[in-house]
Amino acid sequence: MAYQALYRVYRPQTFHDLAGQQHIAQTLQNALTKQQFSHAYLFTGPRGTGKTSAAKIFAKAINCEQAPTSEPCNECAACRGITAGSIADVIEIDAASNNGVDEIRDIRDKVKYAPSEVRYKVYIIDEVHMLSTGAFNALLKTLEEPPEHAVFILATTEPQKIPLTIISRCQQFDFRRIPSSEIFQRLRFVVQDQHLEAEDEALQLIAKASEGGMRDALSVLDQTAAYSEAAITIQDVLDVTGMVADQMIRELIELLTENNAAAAVGKIGALLDQGKDPLRLMEQMIYYYRDLLLYQTSPQLEELLSRPRVDDAFRKQADTIALGTIFQVINQLNRAFLDMKRTNHPRILLEMAIVHLCEQSEVQATNIEAGAGSNELAKRVDALERQVKLMSSTPQPGVTQQPVQQETKRARAPRRNSGLRIPTAHINRVLEDATKEDLIELRSAWAKVMAKIRSENVAAHAWMLESQPVASSAQGFVQAFKYDFHCQMVMENKNNLLGLVQSIVQDVTHKQKVMYPIPEDAWKKLKKAYIERSKSNQDEDSDGEKKEEDPMIAEAKKLVGPDLLDIKD
Amino acid sequence: MDWQQLSKEQQTVAKVLRHAIDRKELAHAYLLEGPAGTGKHETAMLVTQTLFCEQPTDLGPCLTCRNCRRIASGNHPDVIWVAPEEGAASIKKEQIAYLMKEFAYRGVESGRKVFIIEQAEKMTAQAENSLLKFIEEPHSGTLALLITEQIHQLLDTIISRCQVLAFVPLSDHAISRRMDEQGLPKPLLKPAVALTHDYEEAVRLCKEEWFAEARSQVLQLLKGLCESLEAAQLYIYEKFAPNFDDNQKMTVGLDLMLYWYRDLLSLHLNRREEIVYEDQMDRLKEQMLSFSSNQAVQAMSLILDARKQLDAHVNGVSVMERLVIRLGGTR
Ligand SMILES: Nc1ncnc2c1ncn2[C@@H]1O[C@H](COP(=O)(O)OP(=O)(O)O)[C@@H](O)[C@H]1O
Ligand SMILES: [Mg+2]
Ligand SMILES: [Zn+2]
Ligand SMILES: [Zn+2]
């Protein structure tokens, strides 16, 4: 038996094994157990996050001999046949090689015949963004009236290339980049299962370096295992990935802070002469600054950092470099980085960027001392901050993750949203009338709402991207934002953003509701206060029975996460 | 190229591949990535021959058996090379479709099949996408070797499916030393290396009469620019333009200018070992006095902008004309 790449050996075969996509797994599993799944799904998201795997798991689960079940058994004839690719009713189509009208018409002709071996015909159309326009039109016809016995699962890394007419026929699931902590767990599992030895730090570095893609992470692990003589060390990972040790970058940035261009360029020269790639080096510098930025603004979000851990030296650096400087540096390095990609002299561009930074920060330092409008600076910092968040592309942890931990840590975070006026009274009204059904309905329509927002207004989509409905009544809903300044943008209601979202929500759900934006941490506090209040009311009613949280509710919270829970029940 | 030489030049790559072959744990897809002249093609050949050779040794394939010879001449039925077709700018979807058809069957002779895609970044979007599913789960016994100098131009989704082998370039210093040992003329050798970052290309440039001429004309132009803008402009029309009569030559001219200002910058940063125009040290030192490091960086940006215009097919002479006026302004 030939050697199989680790990422092929460890393809998840159950929803349980699908790392980092709990929200999707859960929704699909609910549909499975209730036998209420839709006939067309669209799985979108970055490479190596589990789209194709999830499609196959779902195909097995609906056809499993144990169905209705929330997981495929992987043992019955149907499951095994589908895994092996031998069941003719489960058809995987590579849209990139079969992207013509004829191929899709062929589906249309055959889909009407009932399945022969299993219950449902499943068409997995992978890399669906490659279909030709004609093929999309043909597909649309099929999606408009799919037979009862057919399920379509489309998967792609490039949702922006899918016509909206197709998107609106599908239930869309957006696969997230997998949080590095989960990649790390999976790597550790694989290492044990393969009887390999590896330093935890080495695995953490791989997990961080693969930017949320599990396939990439397993590829690097594979390669590092081949490279290493015995146990996999952090140095092995650095060698294989061509990355520079963190220590080096830190020293480099130290020199930049001192405006020591000569030494900084010298250091870079030495690294490049050793064969390090200038682009990779630049990228690492940008990520280092980005870490400094994130650490300064939200020290509780360590998971978002690109570094495996925060040490004293890093903390000290974060304390000494001014926020405004960091923004500016990131912006400039980022621009230089883009130019570097397009030239055959990347090294020179790197040097230029370094010299430029050192010279200019000297000028700027004197400006600021001279009292140049700090208000102006603050505004620019704000603008840049938004930009940085938008461009940052490292793993974002799932919203419902580690709520408890974050909450306690958040308490220490600096308050940055003091300028936001939260309409507490309105929100409390929504909470009083909120029902679980209203929230679930809205949340399940949310992917469609977002797709529509994007098609109408890309900027609005960007502001709304990291937010979600957390409570809903018949008249209004509360929308929690991960980042305060996104929330602020929406609240300021420039270009009637609120109106846009509300009217799209109405289009999609046929219900007219007012949206109340709120930053996530404020939401958590408000919710807690509300629960406490209503509990103490109850307590009064029931004459002071036990004050502890109902164990049923506690259990339910564990199962569904606090956000999906209707507070009133 | 044998394994010993590969470990000397590309230690990491050699170790990964050698271990994988020895432990029989070769992955199904590798992406060989790095600048020109770093031995990617030779490595692909080495791996393939090692796999098929009838009498391989520790050092590598024998190179004389039937398999080794057929692979070297491109005639082995189980080894397929793909590259842009002659005169074509890209690798087309049809070429990949053909490849996939060939690979639908097991290896004819050994049960093993290897395909090698050179200049993989030249695949059209269609071609690249059509490779995705195939490269993720090919038949067992299949080995894919993709070669590219421009990994950033490949799809993430392709990269994610391969083990990436990064080939590191020789440093400019190392190349220069090697050329120096060959006795190539000193004033030409450093600029040639700086422009190409590649041994063979640099040697070729050094031996070209035109290049020596170009170098001295650029120096002349820069000198004129120090004196007066008019002098420089006149020089462009009379001497420069006729000698740099196509955009490719003009590109070389711009690069030569770029390194002049970088020399000034290196002087400012006290990095003498980086100086490319060593024989012009006196002039550089003099100009440095009136030209700050910031101005040097500015001048370099202007030159790089001009380069972009050239790449966008703006007429070479007018690009140079405008550049010189702007450079005049940075003084
Ligand atoms: N969420 C995940 N959990 C565990 N492994 C994953 C996950 N996503 C991807 N992988 C790994 O990457 C490989 C490719 O996953 P796949 O589902 O094909 O990704 P996609 O289709 O999103 O590019 C899998 O075989 C598995 O090894
Ligand atoms: Mg996929
Ligand atoms: Zn089953
Ligand atoms: Zn041989």
Side-chain angles (χ1 to χ4, degrees):
Chain A
M1 181 71 195
Y3 181 73
Q4 275 222 337
L6 291 178
Y7 75 74
R8 291 171 63 190
V9 179
Y10 293 92
R11 189 180 273 290
Q13 302 295 344
T14 59
F15 287 113
H16 176 262
D17 282 347
L18 199 64
Q21 314 294 357
Q22 288 79 357
H23 58 304
I24 291 171
Q26 203 186 342
T27 315
L28 287 174
Q29 288 183 299
N30 286 345
L32 282 168
T33 35
K34 288 192 203 140
Q35 296 272 62
Q36 287 176 351
F37 42 88
S38 88
H39 286 273
Y41 290 98
L42 174 60
F43 292 175
T44 60
R47 81 246 116 82
T49 50
K51 301 180 295 297
T52 306
S53 306
K56 288 185 182 165
I57 297 169
F58 192 77
K60 283 190 282 189
I62 54 176
N63 281 318
C64 179
E65 286 166 15
Q66 313 283 339
T69 167
S70 62
E71 290 276 18
C73 74
N74 282 315
E75 275 168 14
C76 68
C79 283
R80 279 184 307 164
I82 294 171
T83 304
S86 61
I87 302 253
D89 298 319
V90 175
I91 302 140
E92 196 177 341
I93 296 159
D94 174 11
S97 341
N98 306 292
N99 53 2
V101 185
D102 293 344
E103 280 88 354
I104 304 299
R105 283 220 182 106
D106 189 52
I107 298 180
R108 209 170 103 201
D109 296 340
K110 294 198 178 132
V111 71
K112 48 181 182 263
Y113 304 116
S116 55
E117 294 168 82
V118 289
R119 230 161 309 151
Y120 292 95
K121 272 195 163 173
V122 185
Y123 289 87
I124 300 174
I125 310 185
D126 215 344
E127 317 300 341
V128 67
H129 60 277
M130 291 305 290
L131 288 185
S132 67
T133 313
F136 271 127
N137 285 334
L139 179 60
L140 189 59
K141 293 257 161 58
T142 315
L143 291 183
E144 269 163 1
E145 45 203 49
E148 253 325 288
H149 61 249
V151 175
F152 287 83
I153 307 177
L154 321 183
T156 179
T157 46
E158 304 191 53
Q160 73 282 3
K161 294 190 180 156
I162 314 296
L164 282 172
T165 46
I166 297 275
I167 292 184
S168 66
R169 301 255 157 230
C170 299
Q171 189 175 354
Q172 186 179 350
F173 286 98
D174 203 11
F175 284 62
R176 297 164 188 279
R177 291 172 193 276
I178 303 168
S180 65
S181 56
E182 300 212 26
I183 296 188
F184 170 70
Q185 295 298 342
R186 184 81 175 160
L187 290 178
R188 207 151 65 166
F189 166 75
V190 170
V191 161
Q192 274 167 7
D193 202 53
Q194 290 279 312
H195 306 293
L196 296 169
E197 264 182 64
E199 293 175 357
D200 270 2
E201 290 212 337
L203 299 184
Q204 264 156 358
L205 187 62
I206 297 177
K208 288 285 185 179
S210 38
E211 296 183 344
M214 187 71 86
R215 193 197 286 111
D216 300 56
L218 289 170
S219 277
V220 175
L221 178 65
D222 225 336
Q223 192 171 351
T224 319
Y227 177 75
S228 70
E229 302 286 350
I232 295 173
T233 65
I234 201 159
Q235 188 59 48
D236 291 336
V237 180
L238 290 173
D239 288 350
V240 161
T241 56
M243 288 197 288
V244 171
D246 197 53
Q247 169 76 11
M248 286 289 177
I249 306 285
R250 164 164 38 245
E251 287 169 16
L252 195 52
I253 282 168
E254 207 60 57
L255 293 170
L256 289 180
T257 339
E258 295 160 10
N259 292 331
N260 190 342
V265 171
K267 192 164 198 73
I268 283 176
L271 288 170
L272 298 189
D273 285 345
Q274 281 168 30
K276 298 296 179 193
D277 176 36
L279 278 152
R280 281 308 288 280
L281 180 56
M282 184 61 130
E283 204 169 35
Q284 271 191 273
M285 287 174 63
I286 295 174
Y287 273 120
Y288 196 106
Y289 275 110
R290 184 183 159 280
D291 278 359
L292 288 172
L293 171 74
L294 286 176
Y295 187 74
Q296 275 199 20
T297 51
S298 355
Q300 75 280 15
L301 296 183
E302 261 187 45
E303 164 75 19
L304 286 180
L305 302 184
S306 70
R307 64 197 38 263
R309 66 198 164 80
V310 169
D311 53 19
D312 282 344
F314 176 81
R315 228 170 271 132
K316 218 171 110 203
Q317 228 165 8
D319 285 344
T320 47
I321 308 181
L323 204 57
T325 312
I326 302 180
F327 285 125
Q328 210 153 24
V329 172
I330 291 181
N331 238 10
Q332 288 185 5
L333 292 186
N334 218 39
R335 221 174 309 144
F337 180 66
L338 292 181
D339 281 341
M340 282 169 74
K341 284 188 179 174
R342 289 187 224 115
T343 167
N344 50 347
H345 303 302
R347 177 185 191 141
I348 292 203
L349 279 158
L350 181 50
E351 291 179 2
M352 287 165 66
I354 297 294
V355 174
H356 192 66
L357 280 181
C358 290
E359 305 261 341
Q360 153 205 320
S361 60
E362 277 190 335
V363 177
Q364 211 206 12
T366 48
N367 272 349
I368 291 177
E369 274 159 29
S374 58
N375 224 342
E376 195 51 36
L377 187 70
K379 254 193 234 156
R380 292 199 44 197
V381 164
D382 240 36
L384 282 166
E385 184 174 32
R386 277 181 238 126
Q387 221 170 325
V388 169
K389 293 282 184 182
L390 281 179
M391 82 191 184
S392 71
S393 58
T394 35
Q396 310 278 327
V399 190
T400 50
Q401 269 173 357
Q402 327 161 324
V404 182
Q405 218 181 342
Q406 276 189 14
E407 214 159 63
T408 49
K409 281 189 186 169
R410 245 174 229 278
R412 271 183 280 121
R415 281 179 57 87
R416 290 183 299 116
N417 58 332
S418 45
L420 284 183
R421 275 196 44 229
I422 297 161
T424 315
H426 287 285
I427 292 183
N428 277 330
R429 268 217 62 98
V430 172
L431 292 185
E432 266 157 36
D433 299 332
T435 72
K436 192 189 284 181
E437 285 71 30
D438 272 313
L439 181 59
I440 289 175
E441 184 192 31
L442 184 59
R443 285 179 77 106
S444 76
W446 198 248
K448 272 189 198 166
V449 171
M450 288 301 285
K452 276 202 147 167
I453 295 177
R454 185 185 51 205
S455 69
E456 300 255 3
N457 182 334
V458 181
H461 181 254
W463 300 129
M464 296 293 299
L465 200 58
E466 295 283 356
S467 73
Q468 54 170 336
V470 289
S472 177
S473 67
Q475 286 83 34
F477 65 98
V478 183
Q479 183 77 4
F481 285 74
K482 189 142 152 210
Y483 303 118
D484 296 356
F485 42 90
H486 287 186
C487 185
Q488 188 166 4
M489 282 309 286
V490 176
M491 277 171 104
E492 277 171 15
N493 203 21
K494 294 224 178 72
N495 310 320
N496 192 18
L497 228 151
L498 285 170
L500 173 75
V501 176
Q502 282 163 192
S503 78
I504 288 177
V505 166
Q506 190 176 0
D507 280 358
V508 175
T509 63
H510 306 292
K511 299 208 171 120
Q512 195 175 357
K513 295 184 181 184
V514 181
M515 174 168 82
Y516 299 101
I518 182 171
E520 221 173 60
D521 44 359
W523 160 244
K524 281 185 180 143
K525 282 200 202 106
L526 199 146
K527 180 169 78 176
K528 205 161 147 227
Y530 181 82
I531 292 177
E532 247 146 38
R533 241 182 302 135
S534 52
K535 238 196 296 188
S536 64
N537 285 346
Q538 262 173 29
D539 287 347
E540 271 166 33
D541 292 346
S542 54
D543 231 341
E545 275 189 33
K546 61 170 184 182
K547 276 212 151 99
E548 240 139 66
E549 190 171 36
D550 184 343
M552 285 296 285
I553 294 184
E555 254 333 283
K557 267 191 188 172
K558 272 189 218 147
L559 278 175
V560 301
D563 281 331
L564 266 178
L565 201 69
D566 174 34
I567 304 157
K568 212 182 163 189
D569 282 354
Chain B
M1 176 87 80
D2 60 27
W3 287 100
Q4 204 169 18
Q5 198 188 341
L6 184 66
S7 5
K8 241 191 314 179
E9 291 176 13
Q10 304 290 344
Q11 206 195 347
T12 311
V13 172
K15 221 164 136 186
V16 169
L17 288 173
R18 190 70 244 193
H19 280 170
I21 292 175
D22 292 347
R23 298 174 188 165
K24 303 213 174 341
E25 294 184 350
L26 212 55
H28 63 278
Y30 290 92
L31 177 57
L32 285 60
E33 172 269 325
T38 45
K40 298 182 294 298
H41 176 93
E42 291 84 344
T43 304
M45 186 66 92
L46 175 65
V47 170
T48 313
Q49 285 180 329
T50 303
L51 291 178
F52 285 92
C53 180
E54 291 162 8
Q55 296 159 314
T57 66
D58 274 355
L59 266 186
C62 71
L63 301 183
T64 51
C65 72
R66 194 169 124 82
N67 280 346
C68 280
R69 280 182 289 127
R70 283 191 302 170
I71 292 168
S73 62
N75 289 321
H76 197 290
D78 293 333
V79 178
I80 297 186
W81 298 78
V82 181
E85 274 164 7
E86 225 171 282
S90 54
I91 297 175
K92 310 234 154 47
K93 188 184 166 194
E94 292 71 49
Q95 288 173 273
I96 302 298
Y98 165 79
L99 179 82
M100 282 164 32
K101 220 168 96 202
E102 284 291 304
F103 275 75
Y105 314 101
R106 304 199 118 251
V108 185
E109 295 185 3
S110 64
R112 205 183 245 298
K113 279 199 164 199
V114 179
F115 70 87
I116 299 148
I117 303 185
E118 302 215 56
Q119 302 178 55
E121 78 283 356
K122 298 266 168 71
M123 281 188 277
T124 62
Q126 297 260 342
E128 219 177 328
N129 274 286
S130 68
L131 199 56
L132 285 178
K133 298 292 282 181
F134 178 62
I135 209 180
E136 177 158 29
E137 306 214 314
H139 304 280
S140 83
T142 297
L143 173 66
L145 301 173
L146 275 58
I147 300 179
T148 182
E149 288 173 21
Q150 306 288 342
I151 189 173
H152 294 284
Q153 290 175 20
L154 284 170
L155 290 177
D156 276 358
T157 40
I158 288 278
I159 299 172
S160 152
R161 285 160 168 76
C162 303
Q163 282 193 27
V164 180
L165 300 171
F167 285 65
V168 296
L170 275 184
S171 73
D172 284 3
H173 294 295
I175 301 176
S176 300
R177 266 198 303 277
R178 210 166 133 193
M179 289 176 69
D180 200 25
E181 284 159 17
Q182 308 281 309
L184 289 157
K186 280 225 159 108
L188 289 185
L189 139 190
K190 276 203 147 184
V193 174
L195 262 61
T196 58
H197 312 295
D198 176 53
Y199 176 74
E200 268 153 39
E201 286 276 294
V203 170
R204 197 183 51 73
L205 261 191
C206 259
K207 291 183 173 161
E208 252 180 56
E209 219 172 287
W210 179 84
F211 184 64
E213 184 69 10
R215 176 184 182 275
S216 68
Q217 285 198 324
V218 164
L219 289 175
Q220 204 60 41
L221 174 67
L222 290 165
K223 196 169 185 178
L225 197 57
C226 281
E227 283 152 17
S228 78
L229 185 53
E230 292 72 33
Q233 280 174 311
L234 207 63
Y235 188 77
I236 290 182
Y237 299 123
E238 290 184 348
K239 295 271 169 56
F240 205 82
N243 202 27
F244 292 81
D245 51 1
D246 65 39
N247 275 17
Q248 207 181 342
K249 287 182 180 163
M250 202 53 104
T251 306
V252 173
L254 285 180
D255 277 357
L256 283 168
M257 287 172 82
L258 180 67
Y259 274 93
W260 176 264
Y261 291 101
R262 179 179 183 253
D263 273 2
L264 281 172
L265 184 62
S266 298
L267 256 192
H268 274 292
L269 300 174
N270 201 14
R271 290 168 55 72
R272 302 252 169 137
E273 69 285 1
E274 291 291 320
I275 304 276
V276 167
Y277 295 105
E278 273 171 333
D279 60 331
Q280 304 292 314
M281 201 55 128
D282 290 343
R283 247 183 78 189
L284 283 167
K285 279 186 187 162
E286 194 191 317
Q287 193 175 356
M288 173 190 167
L289 295 176
S290 58
F291 214 81
S292 73
S293 57
N294 218 358
Q295 282 171 309
V297 170
Q298 252 173 41
M300 287 157 80
S301 321
L302 290 177
I303 295 170
L304 291 167
D305 282 349
R307 171 66 192 267
K308 277 185 204 154
Q309 291 168 15
L310 268 195
D311 290 346
H313 306 293
V314 181
N315 170 279
V317 177
S318 58
V319 168
M320 185 56 84
E321 207 177 11
R322 256 178 286 168
L323 173 62
V324 161
I325 294 173
R326 286 188 172 156
L327 284 175
T330 60
R331 277 181 312 161

